[in-house]
Amino acid sequence: MAKSSAKPAKKAPRKTVTDATDKHTLKCLGDEAREVYEASIKDGKPELSSPVRTLGNVKFDPKVGYLEIGRQKKVRTLTVNTVKSFAQTLRMMSLSKEMIEEDTFATKREAYYVSKNWGEAKFNEQPESDMVMDDIEAMFAMSGVSREQLRFYPEEHGGAVAGRLTVIDHDPVSGSPLRIDCTKFGTGAYTIPHSVEHLEFDTDAKFVLAIETGGMFQRLQAHGYWESANCILVSMSGVPTRATRRFIRRLADARKIPVYAFVDCDPYGISNIYRTLKAGSGNTAHLNRFFCVPHATYLGVTPQDILDYELPTHPLLDVDVKRAKDALKNDPFFKHHKPWAKAMEMLISMGVRAEQQALAKWGLNYVIEEYLPQKLKKTAGFLP
Amino acid sequence: MAKSSAKPAKKAPRKTVTDATDKHTLKCLGDEAREVYEASIKDGKPELSSPVRTLGNVKFDPKVGYLEIGRQKKVRTLTVNTVKSFAQTLRMMSLSKEMIEEDTFATKREAYYVSKNWGEAKFNEQPESDMVMDDIEAMFAMSGVSREQLRFYPEEHGGAVAGRLTVIDHDPVSGSPLRIDCTKFGTGAYTIPHSVEHLEFDTDAKFVLAIETGGMFQRLQAHGYWESANCILVSMSGVPTRATRRFIRRLADARKIPVYAFVDCDPYGISNIYRTLKAGSGNTAHLNRFFCVPHATYLGVTPQDILDYELPTHPLLDVDVKRAKDALKNDPFFKHHKPWAKAMEMLISMGVRAEQQALAKWGLNYVIEEYLPQKLKKTAGFLP
């Protein structure tokens, strides 16, 4: 019974694309496709090129402030051996074009399933389609087009937000504008959507506090910290998702407000969570221009805080020490920022780590009543 | 400099507890403490008892609809050997009382750090304090008091919500009431808070759709599915957190609306995600009365859907087959619900699994235009 009706859905009517970003994306897709087409007609040797995505092709210019992709390119020429992946890349670009025209999107997983109707060009396993999508993403990143603009959305949503911020969005169906007041969610919060390119912001907050753990976010929010400190709280829940990083970046750029990170004092919190937020990561260097927050600074917990606040600690594990030493030796971010190199060396020699919630030793709300106010008096001294 | 000021924060002034739930919790804490005190005075052998938390002490009564804890009790008597954990249990109960009086809360981790100022009774490692907290939770669950009511909150927040629902909360600082309209989040969503006991609900929705993946939630939300289907969308992001389960349960109880689960068709989606949502889990049987949604039913993806909708599949892994066979053999839920036993056997014999996003094979929005409307015409036939 259901089977007879299990046929492909009617395609949505083609809409006129009016959004400037969408128009730019369509133009980039069209230009690339046209080049391939014209080369096919002329000499039958069309090419697709995208930047090489290895650590060897990454550079760090302090004036830029994030890990950038270098100039090395991987060029794929259409041959008997590359014909399948070449065709798949073009089909994936074509899917992107259709999604923009129909105002929809696909997760990586959905894009893989869509390919099941591509005949010979279908993907057999999702890692194959992921790789093609990564290639396309890198290819178009060179023209300032992000994966989200191509309408390939991440599976995971963004973090939670509370505080003195109004997010300006639109109703997804009617298109009518919506003002979302993040002071009005009580004990709950606003969830950052999977793609944030279309959002605008209204705020008079003095800073954004990017918080590692859900537990700390909840404490600051439940006690109205954003109100007394006139700020915006964002929960990262570990390494921030793409949507969370892009949200903070766009918000900070649009409103010119500082971003302070509040994470655990351990090599993971510092070199993975904070460094990823601020400078991006090496193996996604082609994306960092969209996703990192170069002017973020580090409120704490610092190695010095462990001493100053007599925090309970745990010993550093071997993996922590290895991570810290690797960062000092190989990571351009730590090589450039001397205060960070010093702090990391201090942490290694102390041999311990401390969590942000360790401040609870002095009382559950000590963080609100003492720690944060003390730190915020000295923002100029924050680690870079 | 910071060091001199790194002293314990002043305690918040004791407030008068007016909330009925808080009063009940304080009474339960007081009664338990008084018994211990009086036994100490009388014969010096105070006892603390809590239910045994093993699968052997779990029962399933179909009329109740969830896995219940049995009658076996673990009794701890104060002796030289138990004095430390006895004292820690009482300190933890005392912390709970203080938090209610001061209207705050602690995560498991924070409670561990607070103990660092308990002198001899301090915990050396967090697993010790977690175990004491679990004991207290089980002890008071018998009186209908949940861990959240004791003010021990989970670290992770709840899922995302969008649709025809107004959540009634209050401003955490001023206490003034707030109405949060979940149709007004644009492409974003409402984040369920860590504790939901105080929330009330206003809705005319016909059902709650509990969705496994963030990607599917996003699709339904971005295309206004909740509007056309007059429903509430909840993203579970895998196995739902405590807060998400409790939110769905309280919402469904308060407004008497059906809950339909929409998850991947594999032994994990069925026996972990869905079964946990509906009937709770065996090793937390003392909590299921709070956290499960006994009247939830299973919209899909069913093993029959894989055939009816010709879905792309992946082979079942050995671990999937083992999980399914275990469920059939040992899980009272599957032993009781014959249609589920049949569906699980069918899945094993088909030897494949399918994800909810596999419907994208027929078009990205096929799920909205065809699949869900077809399924919702036959809710009486949903798996129990």
Side-chain angles (χ1 to χ4, degrees):
Chain A
M1 29 161 217
K3 188 167 182 172
S4 62
S5 52
K7 53 186 181 290
K10 298 162 294 295
K11 270 212 180 148
R14 193 160 164 153
K15 69 157 195 157
T16 313
V17 174
T18 53
D19 183 84
T21 310
D22 283 343
K23 278 186 178 169
H24 175 66
T25 310
L26 285 178
K27 182 173 179 312
C28 293
L29 282 163
D31 288 350
E32 191 71 38
R34 198 166 303 109
E35 272 181 39
V36 169
Y37 175 74
E38 283 166 6
S40 313
I41 300 289
K42 215 174 76 190
D43 63 2
K45 283 186 191 156
E47 287 175 355
L48 289 168
S49 67
S50 61
V52 171
R53 301 194 304 278
T54 61
L55 279 175
N57 192 30
V58 168
K59 58 179 179 169
F60 181 73
D61 175 350
K63 271 175 276 172
V64 173
Y66 55 85
L67 303 170
E68 284 179 292
I69 192 88
R71 287 159 192 256
Q72 295 169 46
K73 290 244 159 75
K74 174 174 82 174
V75 177
R76 206 178 322 156
T77 309
L78 177 57
T79 66
V80 172
N81 290 329
T82 63
V83 63
K84 187 170 176 188
S85 70
F86 211 92
Q88 288 171 325
T89 307
L90 294 173
R91 289 289 315 228
M92 195 75 100
M93 284 165 55
S94 162
L95 174 62
S96 168
K97 176 168 175 283
E98 277 174 36
M99 292 192 296
I100 296 168
E101 288 169 347
E102 292 165 16
D103 198 18
T104 192
F105 55 84
T107 61
K108 279 186 167 182
R109 191 161 302 186
E110 285 175 327
Y112 161 71
Y113 285 120
V114 166
S115 86
K116 294 295 182 188
N117 271 323
W118 288 354
E120 293 282 305
K122 83 168 178 219
F123 296 104
N124 292 316
E125 300 290 342
Q126 200 189 320
E128 298 168 22
S129 65
D130 287 355
M131 206 168 66
V132 166
M133 197 181 291
D134 289 347
D135 281 346
I136 292 178
E137 173 175 36
M139 190 190 305
F140 288 97
M142 301 296 94
S143 319
V145 172
S146 71
R147 189 160 81 199
E148 284 74 6
Q149 285 164 8
L150 293 164
R151 302 302 182 103
F152 297 115
Y153 285 11
E155 172 75 22
E156 80 281 11
H157 65 67
V161 178
R164 299 181 72 89
L165 170 68
T166 296
V167 177
I168 302 165
D169 195 353
H170 58 264
D171 182 279
V173 175
S174 70
S176 52
L178 282 170
R179 293 179 61 86
I180 301 159
D181 181 349
C182 297
T183 68
K184 300 289 185 207
F185 295 131
T187 56
Y190 168 72
T191 306
I192 298 171
H194 301 236
S195 176
V196 303
E197 297 306 321
H198 58 293
L199 301 181
E200 291 175 50
F201 307 98
D202 193 1
T203 181
D204 61 358
K206 280 194 280 187
F207 61 94
V208 175
L209 192 64
I211 303 158
E212 175 171 342
T213 63
M216 183 57 78
F217 171 82
Q218 173 186 16
R219 171 159 309 285
L220 299 186
Q221 172 208 23
H223 289 279
Y225 177 73
W226 52 261
E227 190 160 13
S228 55
N230 190 11
C231 71
I232 300 164
L233 306 174
V234 180
S235 167
M236 299 190 287
S237 300
V239 176
T241 62
R242 291 166 65 102
T244 305
R245 284 185 279 153
R246 184 70 178 146
F247 181 89
I248 296 175
R249 164 68 176 278
R250 292 200 64 238
L251 165 59
D253 278 1
R255 310 300 310 190
K256 309 276 177 252
I257 31 180
V259 174
Y260 305 137
F262 182 23
V263 305
D264 290 348
C265 184
D266 58 36
Y268 185 80
I270 294 167
S271 88
N272 290 48
I273 296 177
Y274 175 67
R275 206 271 269 111
T276 300
L277 175 72
K278 181 178 171 102
S281 62
N283 55 3
T284 57
H286 57 296
L287 308 179
N288 292 340
R289 56 186 292 182
F290 303 113
F291 289 104
C292 63
V293 186
H295 69 284
T297 55
Y298 188 91
L299 179 145
V301 176
T302 65
Q304 188 63 42
D305 286 343
I306 294 180
L307 304 176
D308 289 347
Y309 292 90
E310 296 167 23
L311 296 182
T313 57
H314 298 277
L316 285 182
L317 303 177
D318 288 349
V319 60
D320 294 320
V321 175
K322 185 177 176 304
R323 193 189 300 275
K325 289 188 172 164
D326 272 0
L328 285 171
K329 195 175 159 205
N330 300 317
D331 191 324
F333 179 81
F334 291 93
K335 279 155 96 172
H336 171 74
H337 288 300
K338 298 299 172 217
W340 264 123
K342 225 175 116 187
M344 206 63 133
E345 276 157 13
M346 178 175 171
L347 195 63
I348 295 171
S349 75
M350 288 161 71
V352 294
R353 60 188 176 86
E355 294 170 337
Q356 54 182 180
Q357 296 187 320
L359 290 157
K361 176 191 173 189
W362 301 113
L364 287 167
N365 292 321
Y366 180 81
V367 61
I368 295 174
E369 291 154 11
E370 304 286 340
Y371 178 78
L372 288 173
Q374 284 172 20
K375 298 292 287 195
L376 287 166
K377 280 184 193 147
K378 303 170 290 188
T379 54
F382 283 178
L383 281 162
Chain B
M1 30 165 209
K3 188 168 182 170
S4 62
S5 54
K7 53 183 184 292
K10 300 161 294 293
K11 272 219 179 136
R14 193 159 163 156
K15 68 157 198 155
T16 312
V17 173
T18 53
D19 182 84
T21 310
D22 283 344
K23 279 187 176 168
H24 175 66
T25 310
L26 285 177
K27 182 174 179 308
C28 293
L29 283 163
D31 288 351
E32 192 71 37
R34 198 167 304 109
E35 271 180 38
V36 169
Y37 174 75
E38 283 166 6
S40 311
I41 301 289
K42 215 176 75 191
D43 63 3
K45 285 187 189 154
E47 287 175 355
L48 288 168
S49 67
S50 61
V52 172
R53 300 194 304 277
T54 59
L55 279 175
N57 192 30
V58 168
K59 58 179 179 170
F60 182 73
D61 174 351
K63 271 175 277 174
V64 173
Y66 56 84
L67 302 170
E68 284 180 293
I69 193 86
R71 287 157 192 257
Q72 295 170 46
K73 290 241 157 80
K74 174 175 80 173
V75 177
R76 206 179 321 159
T77 308
L78 178 58
T79 66
V80 172
N81 290 329
T82 63
V83 64
K84 186 170 177 189
S85 69
F86 210 92
Q88 288 170 326
T89 307
L90 293 173
R91 290 286 321 227
M92 195 73 100
M93 283 165 55
S94 163
L95 174 61
S96 168
K97 176 168 174 284
E98 277 174 37
M99 292 193 295
I100 296 168
E101 287 169 350
E102 292 164 17
D103 199 17
T104 192
F105 54 84
T107 60
K108 279 186 166 183
R109 190 162 301 189
E110 286 176 326
Y112 161 72
Y113 285 120
V114 167
S115 86
K116 295 294 181 188
N117 271 324
W118 289 354
E120 293 282 305
K122 83 166 179 224
F123 295 104
N124 293 316
E125 300 290 343
Q126 200 188 322
E128 298 168 22
S129 65
D130 287 354
M131 206 168 65
V132 167
M133 196 181 289
D134 289 346
D135 281 346
I136 292 178
E137 173 175 37
M139 191 189 304
F140 288 97
M142 300 296 94
S143 319
V145 172
S146 71
R147 187 159 84 198
E148 283 75 7
Q149 285 164 8
L150 293 163
R151 302 300 183 106
F152 297 116
Y153 284 10
E155 172 76 23
E156 81 282 10
H157 66 64
V161 178
R164 299 183 72 90
L165 170 69
T166 295
V167 177
I168 302 165
D169 196 353
H170 58 264
D171 183 280
V173 175
S174 70
S176 53
L178 282 170
R179 294 179 60 87
I180 301 157
D181 181 347
C182 297
T183 68
K184 300 289 185 206
F185 283 89
T187 56
Y190 169 72
T191 306
I192 298 171
H194 301 237
S195 176
V196 302
E197 296 305 321
H198 58 292
L199 301 181
E200 291 174 49
F201 307 98
D202 193 0
T203 180
D204 62 357
K206 280 195 280 187
F207 60 95
V208 176
L209 192 64
I211 302 159
E212 174 170 341
T213 63
M216 181 57 77
F217 171 82
Q218 173 186 16
R219 172 159 308 285
L220 300 186
Q221 172 208 24
H223 289 280
Y225 177 73
W226 51 263
E227 190 160 11
S228 55
N230 191 13
C231 70
I232 300 164
L233 306 174
V234 180
S235 166
M236 299 190 286
S237 299
V239 176
T241 62
R242 291 166 65 104
T244 305
R245 283 185 281 154
R246 183 71 177 145
F247 182 89
I248 296 175
R249 164 67 176 279
R250 291 199 67 238
L251 166 61
D253 278 3
R255 310 301 310 190
K256 310 277 178 252
I257 30 178
V259 174
Y260 305 136
F262 182 23
V263 305
D264 290 347
C265 183
D266 58 36
Y268 186 80
I270 294 167
S271 87
N272 291 49
I273 298 177
Y274 175 68
R275 207 271 269 108
T276 300
L277 175 72
K278 182 179 171 102
S281 63
N283 55 3
T284 58
H286 57 297
L287 308 178
N288 292 340
R289 55 185 292 182
F290 303 113
F291 288 104
C292 63
V293 187
H295 70 284
T297 55
Y298 188 90
L299 179 145
V301 177
T302 64
Q304 187 63 42
D305 285 343
I306 294 181
L307 304 177
D308 289 348
Y309 292 91
E310 297 166 23
L311 296 181
T313 58
H314 297 278
L316 285 181
L317 303 175
D318 289 349
V319 59
D320 294 321
V321 174
K322 186 177 173 305
R323 193 189 301 274
K325 288 188 172 164
D326 273 0
L328 285 170
K329 195 174 158 205
N330 301 318
D331 189 325
F333 179 80
F334 291 93
K335 278 153 98 172
H336 170 73
H337 288 301
K338 299 299 171 216
W340 264 123
K342 226 176 114 188
M344 207 62 132
E345 277 158 12
M346 180 177 169
L347 194 63
I348 296 172
S349 74
M350 287 163 70
V352 293
R353 60 189 176 84
E355 294 170 337
Q356 54 181 183
Q357 296 187 323
L359 289 157
K361 176 191 172 189
W362 300 114
L364 287 167
N365 292 322
Y366 180 81
V367 60
I368 295 174
E369 291 155 11
E370 303 286 340
Y371 178 78
L372 288 173
Q374 284 172 19
K375 297 293 287 194
L376 287 165
K377 281 185 192 147
K378 302 171 289 189
T379 53
F382 284 178
L383 281 162

